[in-house]
Amino acid sequence: MLVFAPKYRRQIIYGKIKADVGKFLRELSERKEVIIVETECCLDHIHMLVEIPPHLSVSSFMEYLKSKSSLMTFARHANLKYKYGNRHFWCREYYVDTVGKYKGAIKEYIRNQLEEDIANDQISLKEFTDPFTGEPVKQGK
């Protein structure tokens, strides 16, 4: 499983960019003979469950995937390079984990990730009662 995000976790992967980024990632994965099992493109990160051939290291695949998809994204959406500069679309960091016997659970997690993100964004963090005193919180505090 791979998880990676745009630089500074910018929430720019939506609409036309989301479709193009997905197309670029599929195309680049096919070139390296990497099988995409499941993927989800959220607003500020991407989850991918992939099968990488043994002759290809995860780090070289991620370097290839992020560098080429950055170039392709900036070529397709020229306005982004002026807005974000330096052709750095992705963060340098990424998360990798092996799946093993939990492949089905990971596929389900990725499939439901977007709905979970939307639900978590809708949760209010405003406190209506003070947790220390138990009194109602006044407006402006």
Side-chain angles (χ1 to χ4, degrees), residues 65-117:
L65 188 70
K66 288 172 32 173
S67 65
K68 296 298 181 189
S69 65
S70 279
L71 294 174
M72 295 167 87
T73 301
F74 284 126
R76 176 85 171 153
H77 301 278
N79 60 324
L80 291 179
K81 64 183 161 188
Y82 299 111
K83 189 173 182 180
Y84 299 118
N86 295 333
R87 294 192 178 260
H88 294 293
F89 186 75
W90 301 111
C91 289
R92 287 178 33 187
E93 297 81 17
Y94 55 90
Y95 172 80
V96 177
D97 197 1
T98 57
V99 175
K101 63 183 179 180
Y102 300 109
K103 186 176 182 177
I106 299 297
K107 282 173 65 173
E108 187 68 26
Y109 169 78
I110 291 173
R111 217 175 278 133
N112 296 327
Q113 184 62 39
L114 191 57
E115 289 84 21
E116 288 178 20
D117 282 353

Side-chain angles (χ1 to χ4, degrees), residues 7-22:
K7 190 118 175 133
Y8 309 118
R9 301 261 318 186
R10 295 181 184 111
Q11 296 186 352
I12 59 173
I13 305 176
Y14 58 89
K16 181 71 172 155
I17 294 175
K18 178 179 179 176
D20 286 340
V21 167

Side-chain angles (χ1 to χ4, degrees), residues 8-43:
Y8 309 118
R9 301 261 318 186
R10 295 181 184 111
Q11 296 186 352
I12 59 173
I13 305 176
Y14 58 89
K16 181 71 172 155
I17 294 175
K18 178 179 179 176
D20 286 340
V21 167
K23 184 177 120 183
F24 299 150
L25 295 178
R26 281 188 299 277
E27 181 182 321
L28 293 169
S29 296
E30 288 173 5
R31 288 183 193 172
K32 291 289 185 177
E33 299 175 355
V34 172
I35 300 168
I36 298 176
V37 178
E38 192 71 40
T39 187
E40 186 61 60
C41 198
C42 300
L43 287 179

